Amino acid sequence: MSAIPETMRAVRFHEWGDRSVLRVDEVPVPSVGPGQVLVRVRAAGINPGESAIRQGLFDGNDPEKLPSGQGTDFAGIVVAVGEGVDGIDEREEVLGWSWTRSSQAEYVVVPSEQVVQKPRLLDWTVAGALDVIATTAAAAVRAVDPRPGERVVVSAAAGGVGGFVTQLLTNEGIDVIAIASESNHEWLRSKGARPVAYGDGLRERIQELATNGIDAFIDTFGPEYVHLAVELGIPVDRIETVIAFEVAQEIGAKASGSADTADPEILGALAAQVADGSIEVPIAATYPLERVQDAYEELEQRHTRGKIVLVP
């Protein structure tokens, strides 16, 4: 394996703001400490939550937290292993997650328990986009605890998290009413869901499909869908949102996310389902690091099917 360089390219921002604050800096390659692994990143997914972080919505515009890196998802090749790490070797292909906003870079260092072996048949771009959507989807499904034969509505059902949720449900015999644009309806039908177009009259269209009622609602888009779930008469303890946290707190709905299922065994099992074709993760687009602003411009339109991935 080639020598590890002293510096690398990494997505950074030095002020809070919209995507225009993003840049690619030359920074030192992080050193690997005890219990850690250094990974040469082959692909790193981008997620809507990163836009909110960049705008300071989670950090209160605290200047002491700047400059900041960005990114959670990644897949790559282990190039260095820290003291005390067992079961992971150099040259191993892995996927995983970073809690330190650092995956959108040429190299990332993380605790060894935050990576799992990449299935051999899993495409690099899919592997690098997997952690956040897969674990968030798993947490959302677990939150509403559906049973085979029950009926669940999913908003933004063809998006990254929504598409994964939809497939987890239909694979378990759940009747999914999938809210999405008409351009995604054929894909959703191919996954066993019953699509319905969003827009005016959505509540009535859902009720026409759900003649025997609705058991649960998973929102992956925003607060308007949490309110819709209430209007549909769904008990709040079976309403889950992965994004509208304030509304969930107000009404007592659930708001589980990737932090609730951040476990290597869970991620490994989900990656295996993607690798064997049980779950499809469409890749909407790939961009080099230098075009990170363009990648987020496409993401923030909120109409992509699947994931957008940076390729360092």
Side-chain angles (χ1 to χ4, degrees):
M1 184 170 291
S2 59
I4 300 169
E6 293 184 358
T7 63
M8 66 175 185
R9 296 173 303 141
V11 174
R12 308 271 279 180
F13 56 93
H14 294 251
E15 58 185 302
W16 306 107
D18 61 22
R19 60 182 177 270
S20 67
V21 304
L22 292 173
R23 53 195 258 187
V24 177
D25 289 345
E26 193 80 13
V27 300
V29 172
S31 58
V32 61
Q36 296 180 328
V37 293
L38 178 66
V39 178
R40 172 65 172 96
V41 177
R42 292 287 302 271
I46 69 174
N47 297 285
E50 289 149 13
S51 297
I53 290 171
R54 187 187 65 238
Q55 294 171 53
L57 299 182
F58 294 149
D59 293 314
N61 297 302
D62 184 354
E64 293 187 2
K65 295 189 176 181
L66 297 173
S68 174
Q70 191 170 248
T72 300
D73 300 327
F74 68 88
I77 301 171
V78 175
V79 295
V81 177
E83 182 181 351
V85 173
D86 294 320
I88 301 176
D89 300 317
E90 291 183 15
R91 298 184 174 85
E92 190 164 337
E93 297 181 353
V94 298
L95 67 146
W97 72 94
S98 165
W99 288 134
T100 58
R101 305 176 187 177
S102 58
S103 70
Q104 293 169 15
E106 291 180 309
Y107 292 85
V108 63
V109 65
V110 295
S112 61
E113 62 268 21
Q114 289 176 209
V115 298
V116 298
Q117 188 175 56
K118 183 183 81 69
R120 184 176 59 84
L121 297 179
L122 189 59
D123 180 82
W124 278 113
T125 54
V126 174
L130 197 54
D131 175 70
V132 168
I133 62 166
T135 56
T136 301
V141 170
R142 187 170 69 178
V144 300
D145 191 24
R147 299 287 188 268
E150 287 192 323
R151 189 168 293 107
V152 180
V153 178
V154 179
S155 67
V161 176
F164 213 103
V165 165
T166 295
Q167 293 173 83
L168 284 175
L169 292 171
T170 57
N171 287 351
E172 294 300 320
I174 311 299
D175 178 13
V176 177
I177 296 177
I179 302 170
S181 62
E182 291 187 5
S183 62
N184 290 312
H185 284 192
E186 182 178 350
W187 183 79
L188 288 163
R189 288 190 189 97
S190 76
K191 303 306 176 187
R194 294 194 290 159
V196 59
Y198 58 78
D200 292 343
L202 174 58
R203 175 181 172 181
E204 289 73 23
R205 288 193 294 277
I206 291 173
Q207 289 172 327
E208 287 176 4
L209 289 176
T211 53
N212 294 321
I214 303 165
D215 298 290
F217 195 115
I218 297 176
D219 164 53
T220 72
F221 189 87
E224 62 268 38
Y225 290 105
V226 179
H227 293 305
L228 173 62
V230 174
E231 292 171 7
L232 288 166
I234 301 169
V236 292
D237 65 348
R238 300 205 73 191
I239 299 172
E240 152 74 8
T241 179
V242 303
I243 192 168
F245 307 119
E246 291 185 7
V247 173
Q249 186 174 20
E250 288 173 7
I251 70 168
K254 295 182 176 178
S256 297
S258 59
D260 298 295
T261 43
D263 180 281
E265 289 189 11
I266 293 174
L267 178 59
L270 294 168
Q273 291 183 60
V274 178
D276 71 16
S278 299
I279 293 177
E280 179 188 0
V281 177
I283 300 299
T286 60
Y287 290 86
L289 286 184
E290 289 74 16
R291 293 186 60 199
V292 62
Q293 292 186 17
D294 295 335
Y296 276 92
E297 180 180 12
E298 182 171 349
L299 176 76
E300 289 165 10
Q301 294 173 6
R302 304 192 76 179
H303 290 293
T304 56
R305 181 194 303 168
K307 290 282 291 188
I308 298 171
V309 183
L310 296 174
V311 181

